[in-house]
Amino acid sequence: MNMDQISQHTDAKKLLKSLQEVLKSKKITYADLALQMEVSEVTVKRLFSTQNCNLQTVFKICDLVGISFFDLAALANQDKEVDYVLSEDQEKFFAANPAMFGIFRALHRGVSPDKLAEVWKLSSQKMFKVLRKIEQFGLLEVLPENQVRIKAVGNIRFQHKGPLARAILRPQIMQFLDHVDVVLKNKDVCMHSAEVELSKSSITELVEEIHALGAKYRARALRDKNLLSAEQLQSVRWLYAFAPFETNWQQYELKD
């Protein structure tokens, strides 16, 4: 297959099918796209029906509908988890500036800089400085009028024992558990805790299932992010922790 040509290759079909899903989710018709591309609607329909176009056209459509080619590729490869793991320098920056990490995560989820400036009560000039600072670490590109192009593709991950985790993870876990206590009766909330005895094979199976479940829904999160607007998404958090462990009950005083 010509390197510049998208044709009947299986991966190419997935790419164009995902592009159709993006158009549908953003309520962009073939007529709308044709108008933006300055071609006929028939041309656009033929492009998707024959599944035959060059990469330059795909890049152009991605720009017009507001999705990066790399996010589109990740969406087409939806069965595989795609993560963006922060570098050591990026983690150190965010560990020293947790608020910056909160703003970046919101931008990554699709919240507009203008909306964030309103929420954080930042002037346009201050917001610009924040964006420029994050840009220095290669996570986004600042565009005119405080708009951004996100360069970090995939779900944002950081090392469990890295500088960012040390700065924010434990306090946030306690906040999360306190919140779960309050909302536990809600239908969209669950919490399971148990201390039982299992064989080595059962332990191995449980660990594998936990990893698979996390991977499944991280992949689903990436898909939802690319197909839905920020307003249609709800921020959620889960915490899995499993280890061979036996509670030391002798830490408690035996009372008469």
Side-chain angles (χ1 to χ4, degrees), residues 32-44:
D32 296 331
L33 186 59
L35 186 63
Q36 294 184 69
M37 295 179 68
E38 299 181 344
V39 298
S40 69
E41 184 178 351
V42 172
T43 299
V44 174

Side-chain angles (χ1 to χ4, degrees), residues 84 86-87 90 93-94 104 108 134-141 149-153 156:
Y84 181 93
L86 296 178
S87 69
Q90 290 167 342
F93 166 66
F94 284 133
F104 169 64
H108 187 268
I134 298 174
E135 183 183 43
Q136 292 176 16
F137 289 85
L139 294 163
L140 54 78
E141 177 186 357
R149 185 191 304 277
I150 300 298
K151 297 173 73 173
V153 178
I156 303 301

Side-chain angles (χ1 to χ4, degrees), residues 66-67 90 93 96 117-118 121 141 149 155 168 172 181 186 193 196 210 214 237 248 256:
I67 183 173
Q90 290 167 342
F93 166 66
E118 179 185 341
K121 296 180 173 57
E141 177 186 357
R149 185 191 304 277
N155 299 305
I168 69 172
Q172 288 190 2
D181 282 343
N186 294 355
S193 176
V196 297
I210 289 174
R237 185 167 196 158
N248 175 20
D256 293 336

Side-chain angles (χ1 to χ4, degrees), residues 42-97:
V42 172
T43 299
V44 174
K45 287 182 177 179
R46 185 184 303 119
L47 183 155
F48 285 103
S49 63
T50 62
Q51 297 184 329
N52 194 327
C53 70
N54 58 44
L55 283 173
Q56 185 177 2
T57 301
V58 175
F59 288 140
K60 182 176 182 179
I61 296 174
C62 285
D63 285 340
L64 291 173
V65 302
I67 183 173
S68 76
F69 177 79
F70 298 105
D71 274 351
L72 179 66
L75 182 60
N77 204 20
Q78 59 183 291
D79 293 333
K80 294 185 179 180
E81 177 189 355
V82 179
D83 289 333
Y84 181 93
V85 180
L86 296 178
S87 69
E88 183 80 6
D89 286 343
Q90 290 167 342
E91 281 205 36
K92 287 180 179 178
F93 166 66
F94 284 133
N97 303 273

Side-chain angles (χ1 to χ4, degrees), residues 88-225:
E88 183 80 6
D89 286 343
Q90 290 167 342
E91 281 205 36
K92 287 180 179 178
F93 166 66
F94 284 133
N97 303 273
M100 290 274 196
F101 186 57
I103 289 174
F104 169 64
R105 278 183 54 84
L107 292 168
H108 187 268
R109 294 203 326 267
V111 181
S112 72
D114 288 345
K115 179 64 176 177
L116 283 171
E118 179 185 341
V119 171
W120 285 78
K121 296 180 173 57
L122 301 176
S123 67
S124 178
Q125 184 179 15
K126 178 63 175 178
M127 189 68 198
F128 178 76
K129 289 182 178 179
V130 169
L131 297 177
R132 281 296 192 193
K133 192 68 175 179
I134 298 174
E135 183 183 43
Q136 292 176 16
F137 289 85
L139 294 163
L140 54 78
E141 177 186 357
V142 180
L143 304 176
E145 299 182 2
N146 275 8
Q147 297 305 300
V148 297
R149 185 191 304 277
I150 300 298
K151 297 173 73 173
V153 178
N155 299 305
I156 303 301
R157 303 287 299 278
F158 51 88
Q159 299 299 323
H160 182 67
K161 291 187 177 181
L164 185 54
R166 289 195 296 270
I168 69 172
L169 195 56
R170 282 188 177 274
Q172 288 190 2
I173 286 175
M174 294 308 300
Q175 292 172 7
F176 175 61
L177 291 176
D178 288 343
H179 174 73
V180 170
D181 282 343
V182 175
V183 299
L184 190 54
K185 292 183 179 180
N186 294 355
K187 291 183 178 180
D188 59 355
V189 178
C190 67
M191 179 176 178
H192 295 277
S193 176
E195 185 174 349
V196 297
E197 290 72 43
L198 292 173
S199 66
K200 288 186 177 180
S201 62
S202 294
I203 290 173
T204 299
E205 182 179 351
L206 179 55
V207 170
E208 289 175 351
E209 288 186 4
I210 289 174
H211 283 311
L213 188 63
K216 174 183 176 180
Y217 284 97
R218 283 192 296 271
R220 183 77 61 84
L222 183 62
R223 179 177 179 79
D224 287 353
K225 171 183 174 292

